[in-house]
Amino acid sequence: MARGAARKRSSKPSEPDATPPLSVLSHGAAHLPLVHVDTYNEELRDPEGFVGDRASNRAFNTIVEEWRERLRRVGRDPFGPDEQIKKKKLDKALIDGDPKEAGLVQSVIEEFAKEFATVVRRFLRNKDWADTSCIVVGGGLRKSRVGEVAIGRAAALLNGDGCTVDLKPIRNHPDEAGLIGCALLAPPWVLKGHDAVLGVDIGGSNIRAGLVSLNLKKAPDLGKAQIHEMELWCYADQRERTTRDQAVERLAKMLRGLISRAGKAKLKLAPFVGIGCPGIIRDDGSIEKGAQNLPGNWESKSFNLPKALHEAIPTIGDYKSTFMLHNDAVVQGLSEAPFMCDIEHWGVMTIGTGLGNARFTSICPPQLRKGRKKSDRKRK
């Protein structure tokens, strides 16, 4: 998410006990099958600016370079003249690299973990995050081992300081979590009798689209959903030359290809497409703000992504297609919802261009948990 994108919803969601029947699909909905979305895109500030900027990929990379610069002053940068160190190289250094390389990486992890722990404490003091007992962490940094260790170190710092929140990496790979969560936007009746659903994860550097196998017979609450096939379009290097309409056209082409492949695989595809996108989502499917890192102007009142995609793909199989848009952090968090039914208040933070965030209250209807053992819902 972009700097400044982490912003509170323009209107506070209704209370969980007012949950309406899930008979009408709504973009940016507060009421979803397994959770009530208490808040998302919280914008918290301190004297230095946006709190979330202290726990982002950019912040992590800045810490790396600051430590390297300190060591360069005495001619001791273990990574030599490399301009930027990718996280794969940091992972290798941490696991089996030169002791000095590993020491530098550990120093970076420690400093970033302290910043992240500070950010989490700040969120927990916010009234909309009160009584949050668990936070799952996704986003780009979560993909790496250094990211996982940083999350674990932040958890140790918090717990050692008397904070009881359970901070842990999201269980699915972040690239997959953002697609699996799309299936949990749909009410059960939409998915009933189908094998798979389409999901879309739109980010500031790339767009993913995927076929999500539902596996409803194994887990009616979608706890066994998994990626059957995925397409990636990385446009980061072409952002200045890519228009919004070109991005929508490319996404529609990706979805058509996945629909065709679902047919060849004899998967009964639900006529529903869930979409995760940065920003505050209005109930009509337009984006209020927070999408400034996407190519072109996605916040224009005249632009509506779900409508544009429906015009490009009016039907899926024999039925009229439905596109549902929600915030990308909310959607990534939804992939964890089947495993949070025993936790009343929990949240998600996604460490990417910025810090995406959402807080949930579990409502898990009993019929969606049928066939799931309690031990299956707990993280091993």
Side-chain angles (χ1 to χ4, degrees):
M1 294 181 65
R3 178 183 174 92
R7 181 180 174 88
K8 188 176 178 180
R9 286 176 57 95
S10 56
S11 59
K12 187 174 177 62
S14 56
E15 295 301 317
D17 59 3
T19 305
L22 286 167
S23 58
V24 179
L25 300 177
S26 176
H27 305 288
H31 300 288
L32 295 170
L34 297 185
V35 298
H36 180 275
V37 184
D38 302 315
T39 186
Y40 71 88
N41 276 27
E42 285 280 359
E43 181 183 77
L44 304 181
R45 294 175 179 265
D46 61 17
E48 299 178 359
F50 294 102
V51 172
D53 284 351
R54 298 171 63 176
S56 65
N57 270 328
R58 184 178 302 171
F60 182 89
N61 292 334
T62 297
I63 293 172
V64 172
E65 292 309 309
E66 286 177 349
W67 268 102
R68 294 182 69 201
E69 179 58 29
R70 293 178 204 175
L71 298 178
R72 286 191 192 107
R73 291 170 191 166
V74 294
R76 300 290 173 82
D77 179 358
F79 289 106
D82 292 353
E83 292 186 5
Q84 186 174 359
I85 308 299
K86 294 184 178 181
K87 291 185 179 65
K88 286 184 178 180
K89 189 168 184 177
L90 295 177
D91 284 349
K92 182 175 176 57
L94 178 65
I95 296 169
D96 59 4
D98 177 274
K100 291 184 178 180
E101 292 179 348
L104 187 154
V105 176
Q106 288 179 338
S107 298
V108 171
I109 288 172
E110 181 69 14
E111 188 168 334
F112 181 82
K114 289 178 180 178
E115 291 292 323
F116 188 30
T118 298
V119 171
V120 171
R121 290 189 192 97
R122 180 65 179 83
F123 268 82
L124 294 176
R125 291 199 299 270
N126 183 279
K127 65 178 182 178
D128 291 325
W129 278 72
D131 301 321
T132 301
S133 57
C134 179
I135 299 174
V136 295
V137 184
L141 192 66
R142 158 66 180 86
K143 300 177 187 178
S144 63
R145 181 58 180 169
V146 293
E148 290 179 335
V149 175
I151 295 166
R153 181 58 181 146
L157 290 169
L158 289 164
N159 297 159
D161 196 34
C163 178
T164 59
V165 70
D166 185 12
L167 188 71
K168 58 188 180 183
I170 201 164
R171 71 186 59 224
N172 290 294
H173 189 286
D175 294 348
E176 297 185 354
L179 298 173
I180 291 172
C182 290
L184 286 109
L185 289 171
W189 56 266
V190 172
L191 304 178
K192 188 175 181 180
H194 295 93
D195 302 317
V197 69
L198 290 168
V200 175
D201 184 11
I202 299 174
S205 301
N206 50 63
I207 295 177
R208 289 182 179 82
L211 272 174
V212 182
S213 295
L214 301 173
N215 295 319
L216 292 173
K217 291 182 179 179
K218 294 181 180 179
D221 62 3
L222 295 170
K224 297 292 185 181
Q226 58 186 14
I227 302 302
H228 177 81
E229 191 168 345
M230 178 170 60
E231 279 199 21
L232 169 67
W233 174 44
C234 183
Y235 65 84
D237 296 336
Q238 311 168 34
R239 185 183 289 108
E240 298 301 322
R241 303 189 303 274
T242 302
T243 68
R244 183 190 66 202
D245 291 345
Q246 287 173 335
V248 174
E249 183 179 347
R250 178 63 178 266
L251 174 55
K253 182 178 179 180
M254 293 164 68
L255 291 172
R256 290 191 196 98
L258 289 169
I259 291 170
S260 175
R261 289 196 285 279
K264 292 178 181 178
K266 298 183 179 180
L267 292 174
K268 191 174 182 182
L269 191 60
F272 175 91
V273 183
I275 308 168
C277 182
I280 299 172
I281 311 302
R282 298 189 182 96
D283 58 10
D284 66 353
S286 59
I287 303 171
E288 183 177 337
K289 57 180 59 180
Q292 60 267 32
N293 269 7
L294 303 183
N297 181 11
W298 293 56
E299 299 170 12
S300 169
K301 291 183 178 179
S302 63
F303 175 68
N304 189 294
L305 178 61
K307 289 182 180 178
L309 289 174
H310 177 70
E311 290 175 0
I313 306 174
T315 60
I316 296 177
D318 297 328
Y319 299 96
K320 181 179 178 181
S321 60
T322 297
F323 293 82
M324 186 173 176
L325 181 66
H326 216 310
N327 172 266
D328 56 347
V330 170
V331 174
Q332 194 163 141
L334 288 177
S335 68
E336 200 80 9
F339 310 95
M340 291 292 184
C341 289
D342 299 319
I343 299 176
E344 184 176 7
H345 302 303
W346 60 281
V348 62
M349 291 183 175
T350 57
I351 302 174
T353 307
L355 184 71
N357 61 86
R359 213 295 283 263
F360 307 102
T361 294
S362 294
I363 56 177
C364 300
Q367 64 270 25
L368 290 182
R369 287 187 280 171
K370 184 178 180 182
R372 291 292 303 280
K373 295 179 181 180
K374 185 175 181 179
S375 59
D376 291 336
R377 299 196 299 273
K378 293 183 177 180
R379 187 179 180 84
K380 294 183 179 179

